[in-house]
Amino acid sequence: MKLLKFSPLLIGAILLSACVSMPKGPSVMVLPGSGKSFDQFRYDDVECRNFAEFQVGGKSSEDIAAESAAKSAVVGTAIGAAAGAALGGRSGAAAGAGGGLLLGSAAGAGAGETSAYGLQRRYDYAYIQCMYAKGHKVPVSGRLTSSAPAAPSYAPPPPPPPPPPPR
């Protein structure tokens, strides 16, 4: 009975997570290289997008997220139905299947988003690699300092002890 109280909450979470979509291209900034025309940049951009898409197997991040969510929902339904049948017979199987579907869908939504993020990251890395190899600029974040780095401190080892006096 408690599951029925939380069902609207789970369904709402699933629907909201389904609204999240990853971009269909690179999510990084690349600038035209020195001495490169904007037309050359656009040509290289298309070529590198194709290269990056090939590197991730031609699948979009939305495809990966949907596949993962669907697989989790099916597995959750099957496990829930089996557990419900084992515990409560025919009526338990239906309740277990419903609960398994909800929990499997919720888990699948999270797993799908994680898979989509990983795919997007691999796509971005391949895109950056290609554009950089073609001579374009890839801004990176980092900490800049205006002073020269300090030399590492080094303390010489202590001198050896003096030899004992002769007898």
Side-chain angles (χ1 to χ4, degrees):
M1 198 64 173
K2 288 184 181 182
L3 181 63
L4 294 177
K5 290 180 182 178
F6 292 110
S7 295
L9 182 63
L10 287 173
I11 291 171
I14 291 167
L15 290 175
L16 285 177
S17 67
C19 295
V20 176
S21 66
M22 301 290 279
K24 292 186 185 277
S27 63
V28 294
M29 180 172 54
V30 176
L31 302 170
S34 301
K36 300 266 186 176
S37 69
F38 187 68
D39 288 334
Q40 180 64 46
F41 176 78
R42 288 178 38 213
Y43 177 80
D44 291 343
D45 176 62
V46 170
E47 192 173 314
C48 289
R49 285 175 186 247
N50 289 336
F51 171 76
E53 187 174 333
F54 177 76
Q55 293 300 310
V56 297
K59 292 187 177 187
S60 72
S61 52
E62 288 86 11
D63 294 341
I64 295 293
E67 285 175 15
S68 181
K71 286 177 187 174
S72 294
V74 168
V75 169
T77 303
I79 291 173
L87 296 176
R90 213 172 256 182
S91 62
L101 175 63
L102 288 175
L103 294 176
S105 297
E113 195 163 327
T114 301
S115 298
Y117 176 76
L119 182 83
Q120 182 66 48
R121 209 170 68 193
R122 287 193 342 251
Y123 179 96
D124 288 345
Y125 290 159
Y127 177 77
I128 288 171
Q129 180 184 26
C130 179
M131 290 298 277
Y132 187 77
K134 292 185 175 294
H136 298 289
K137 298 176 185 176
V138 179
V140 295
S141 62
R143 191 175 66 179
L144 301 175
T145 60
S146 59
S147 62
S153 62
Y154 174 75
R167 291 191 189 186

